[in-house]
Amino acid sequence: MSEAVNRIGSSILGGIAPRPVLPVAQSYEEEDYDDAYLNKRADATVSAVADLPLFSPVTEVKHIATSADLLARCRQYLSRSDVETIQRAFRYADDAHLGQFRKSGEAYITHPLAVASILADWHLDATTICAGLMHDVLEDTGIAKIEMAERFGIEVTELVDGVSKLDKLRFSSNEVAQAESFRKMLLAMSRDVRVILVKLADRLHNLRTLGVMRPEKRHRIGKETVEIYVPIAHRLGLNQVFRELQELSFLNMYPRRYQILKDNVLNSRGNRRAILERILRETREILPKHRIVAQVQGRDKTIYGIYNRMKDSHQSFSEALDVYGFRIIVRTREECYLTLCALHQLYKPVHHRFKDFIAIPKSNGYQSLHTTVIGPNGTAIEYQIRTTQMHRIDEMGILSHWLYNDGLDTTELQSMVAAWLQSLMEIQRTSKDSNEFLENIKIDLFPDRVYIFTPKSKIISLPQGSCAVDFAYQVHTDVGNKTVGCKINGEIGCLSKTLENGDMVEILTDPNAQPDPQWLTFVRSGKARAEVRQYLRSRSHEETVDIGRKAMEKAAQDAHFDLDGVSDEVWEN
């Protein structure tokens, strides 16, 4: 498994040159720790309206992308030959889409241009930008894959083919066609991660311009985005893309709810000036006393985040809004922990509200220290503490490979992405059809995870709500198939018990054991569900009957029901 992951890790960005490493313009040494420097770096973050920033997605595209804008953007970081290739791809796509128009009445080519411009903003290579320009050519025009390959090469054509949906006429329903197209895209993504980057840019622009569509179509596309593309962006560490997709999906699913909440947030701004200024002042003053160079930032609020807090925690609007979030960015890993000590000296920490994602990174490479403290007047304050490098990766994820030219190390993130793509391949292998595959991975895509320890202190990441059977299958398929029991934190536990963050799990196995069909009623992860189903499908008819009989007898025993009292007539029917 590890060898396979390493192979995929080397191929994810293999052949894709990052931006050249340039000399770092400025580095900081110990002598920089003078009072003037510390005061300069510890900038105030109270804005003109005296509140934390509000994340605002692009809800109305006022400037239509042009080829001149795109080429000018590309010239800033690509070679002349690359720019010429992109220009050829634009002309090719423009000719292919001639006479096609968007629902808004604009020429269709404005959409591929916008997608390519987003990819250029992410500093992706010429191959990916060409694919962005031509991403709808195979799907919406009469041009064949072989013709595109002859003009632009196999690499570009495979990216375009990866994001092209399959012909709906080949399938029994739109749902089956959608599931099969999604499986095709994920398999292409497992070979080249740039496929999903083109698709995310495509979905981002579509959501920005979805206002002209019928309400039911806006709702359907928004729901699909929340269920599939938002979690994918999260798993790739694309935090900025993740937030904008979330906000735009919520806006398109529930436009009235979005507008009401946004209006209330804007109307409430400025009411908390005194408390914000005090928290910021005290935070800024304590760090230089500990010789810590830091930037203190207010964390963006999102309308979707406020809505979810109200819905999930049954809070009122004012309760959901009255959470003060700040991000502190320091230079080194050691300073993260020194900052934590300084903050806990300044304010009292809340028990069980501290998380160390530096020692145990999230499955998408995210690293930060999280702590909640009680500030002035009993106010709850949430702090995130991270280094500059952690912040770059936390915001842009896998895109950091292309965006930064100062030698930023993304090796660990690439390895995590490779492991995730490998798990998708395994789920695809054991799924009966595309619908089952989509059902299995939707849970694994969900961003909420728990982190469980093996007896040898290895960390296993699982979807929230997972049990010991999920854990066993994540360790190895054979371990899952032979599971008979478990120990949770050293004590015998129930296989169906929901695992909590930090639990240590030991799986008890028997070489003669086999999967129990009842597991399908409580396993959470797509891998466990797919493996159990695959095992049951592989049994002979006699074995399947025997498994079914044992399951029925166990269910009857649990329900205190006497099967012997059932008449032959009932059994025959």
Side-chain angles (χ1 to χ4, degrees):
M1 170 71 175
S2 59
E3 291 182 5
V5 169
N6 289 335
R7 284 198 304 272
I8 294 178
S10 62
S11 66
I12 280 181
L13 302 175
I16 308 172
R19 299 182 65 204
V21 177
L22 301 177
V24 179
Q26 184 177 4
S27 60
Y28 300 108
E29 307 296 341
E30 284 299 318
E31 56 265 26
D32 292 321
Y33 279 93
D34 57 82
D35 290 339
Y37 177 69
L38 292 169
N39 291 336
K40 181 181 178 182
R41 288 293 301 272
D43 296 323
T45 60
V46 179
S47 64
V49 291
D51 210 325
L52 299 179
L54 176 66
F55 180 79
S56 298
V58 179
T59 58
E60 183 182 357
V61 178
K62 297 179 179 178
H63 175 70
I64 297 176
T66 66
S67 59
D69 294 335
L70 173 63
L71 295 174
R73 185 76 181 90
C74 292
R75 288 190 187 99
Q76 294 177 10
Y77 70 99
L78 293 175
S79 67
R80 177 179 295 180
S81 62
D82 282 342
V83 174
E84 289 173 353
T85 302
I86 291 169
Q87 191 168 25
R88 282 198 302 113
F90 161 72
R91 290 170 180 162
Y92 188 74
D94 192 24
D95 289 342
H97 290 297
L98 192 64
Q100 296 179 347
F101 297 90
R102 304 195 81 206
K103 191 79 171 178
S104 61
E106 299 162 354
Y108 192 85
I109 191 61
T110 58
H111 169 63
L113 270 171
V115 171
S117 297
I118 292 172
L119 296 171
D121 287 340
W122 296 344
H123 281 205
L124 287 168
D125 56 6
T127 299
T128 314
I129 293 173
C130 288
L133 282 167
M134 300 186 292
H135 75 273
D136 280 332
V137 167
L138 296 182
E139 183 180 334
D140 294 341
T141 73
I143 291 175
K145 183 177 176 181
I146 189 170
E147 180 186 334
M148 182 180 290
E150 288 172 352
R151 285 176 174 262
F152 295 95
I154 293 294
E155 191 176 6
V156 171
T157 308
E158 288 297 332
L159 291 180
V160 174
D161 184 58
V163 297
S164 299
K165 294 191 286 290
L166 296 169
D167 185 358
K168 294 180 181 179
L169 296 178
R170 293 169 48 192
F171 302 97
S172 57
S173 68
N174 286 343
E175 290 73 20
V176 174
Q178 181 191 31
E180 193 62 44
S181 293
F182 182 64
R183 176 160 73 166
K184 171 176 172 281
M185 183 191 71
L186 282 183
L187 293 178
M189 180 181 77
S190 68
R191 296 189 293 269
D192 192 330
V193 75
R194 292 175 296 177
V195 169
I196 195 61
L197 297 180
V198 174
K199 187 62 181 179
L200 289 174
D202 173 41
R203 182 53 59 110
L204 194 56
H205 183 253
N206 277 333
L207 285 173
R208 288 173 177 176
T209 57
L210 208 57
V212 297
M213 296 295 183
R214 302 186 312 275
E216 58 271 23
K217 186 168 184 178
R218 293 178 64 188
H219 188 279
R220 177 180 60 78
I221 294 175
K223 184 173 183 289
E224 179 187 76
T225 304
V226 166
E227 290 180 348
I228 296 174
Y229 296 104
V230 165
I232 287 177
H234 183 271
R235 288 303 294 264
L236 294 176
L238 308 175
N239 193 38
Q240 288 188 5
V241 180
F242 163 77
R243 283 183 296 177
E244 185 168 3
L245 287 175
Q246 263 191 341
E247 289 292 278
L248 289 172
S249 297
F250 181 47
L251 167 65
N252 283 288
M253 285 192 296
Y254 305 109
R256 180 165 170 76
R257 296 181 198 180
Y258 180 91
Q259 196 58 51
I260 289 173
L261 283 173
K262 183 176 181 180
D263 290 343
N264 277 278
V265 169
L266 295 176
N267 290 336
S268 68
R269 294 173 77 80
N271 296 338
R272 308 180 297 170
R273 184 186 187 93
I275 188 71
L276 268 172
E277 286 187 337
R278 180 177 173 183
I279 293 170
L280 284 165
R281 185 180 69 253
E282 292 177 354
T283 301
R284 291 169 52 229
E285 287 175 351
I286 194 69
L287 298 179
K289 292 177 181 178
H290 292 265
R291 315 302 292 171
I292 298 170
V293 178
Q295 294 175 341
V296 183
Q297 302 175 348
R299 279 169 45 214
D300 289 353
K301 288 182 177 296
T302 66
I303 303 300
Y304 185 79
I306 294 170
Y307 173 75
N308 265 353
R309 190 184 288 266
M310 293 171 64
K311 180 166 64 79
D312 296 342
S313 304
H314 305 287
Q315 294 181 342
S316 66
F317 172 76
S318 59
E319 289 172 331
L321 192 65
D322 283 343
V323 176
Y324 297 79
F326 297 92
R327 182 177 295 120
I328 300 177
I329 302 174
V330 297
R331 300 188 313 163
T332 66
R333 184 188 185 105
E334 291 73 22
E335 284 184 346
C336 291
Y337 293 96
L338 288 173
T339 300
L340 179 71
C341 293
L343 293 175
H344 285 184
Q345 179 182 333
L346 176 65
Y347 301 126
K348 297 297 182 186
V350 177
H351 193 47
H352 295 312
R353 293 296 301 274
F354 165 69
K355 294 180 180 179
D356 188 343
F357 291 118
I358 294 179
I360 306 176
K362 290 187 178 183
S363 56
N364 62 358
Y366 175 92
Q367 288 186 291
S368 280
L369 297 179
H370 289 196
T371 187
T372 300
V373 299
I374 301 300
N377 305 327
T379 303
I381 310 169
E382 297 176 352
Y383 285 106
Q384 293 176 351
I385 309 164
R386 59 180 66 157
T387 66
T388 301
Q389 175 165 318
M390 292 172 191
H391 181 62
R392 288 175 172 181
I393 293 177
D394 292 346
E395 288 296 297
M396 300 310 297
I398 198 72
L399 287 175
S400 304
H401 174 80
W402 291 277
L403 274 171
Y404 300 113
N405 63 351
D406 54 2
L408 182 68
D409 185 8
T410 60
T411 305
E412 187 174 355
L413 175 60
Q414 291 177 39
S415 178
M416 288 180 173
V417 171
W420 174 57
L421 294 177
Q422 176 72 10
S423 72
L424 292 183
M425 294 291 287
E426 291 179 4
I427 293 174
Q428 129 75 19
R429 177 181 56 81
T430 53
S431 296
K432 179 180 66 175
D433 54 34
S434 55
N435 279 324
E436 186 177 299
F437 174 64
L438 191 56
E439 176 193 342
N440 288 336
I441 68 164
K442 274 187 177 179
I443 295 299
D444 277 19
L445 284 175
F446 203 73
D448 292 337
R449 314 286 291 180
V450 290
Y451 299 89
I452 311 301
F453 289 94
T454 70
K456 294 184 178 180
S457 298
K458 181 182 177 182
I459 299 168
I460 301 292
S461 170
L462 295 168
Q464 196 167 60
S466 293
C467 63
V469 177
D470 294 294
F471 176 87
Y473 276 107
Q474 193 64 35
V475 172
H476 197 281
T477 299
D478 290 341
V479 174
N481 287 340
K482 302 301 179 184
T483 294
V484 293
C486 67
K487 288 184 179 180
I488 301 175
N489 300 322
E491 298 181 359
I492 295 294
C494 178
L495 286 175
S496 61
K497 181 183 177 182
T498 299
L499 300 177
E500 304 289 341
N501 254 328
D503 282 346
M504 180 176 286
V505 177
E506 179 183 352
I507 298 298
L508 308 177
T509 61
D510 183 327
N512 298 317
Q514 60 186 17
D516 185 341
Q518 292 294 317
W519 290 352
L520 289 174
T521 64
F522 56 76
V523 293
R524 179 74 171 165
S525 67
K527 179 174 174 59
R529 190 175 299 276
E531 292 291 356
V532 173
R533 285 172 169 168
Q534 169 67 9
Y535 179 85
L536 296 176
R537 280 196 295 267
S538 67
R539 301 302 91 191
S540 67
H541 175 72
E542 291 76 15
E543 289 175 313
T544 303
V545 170
D546 185 54
I547 291 172
R549 179 179 56 79
K550 289 178 180 178
M552 183 173 63
E553 289 174 351
K554 185 177 186 304
Q557 183 181 359
D558 292 343
H560 305 290
F561 181 78
D562 183 14
L563 290 175
D564 293 333
V566 180
S567 66
D568 291 341
E569 183 181 355
V570 172
W571 284 119
E572 289 174 3
N573 291 334

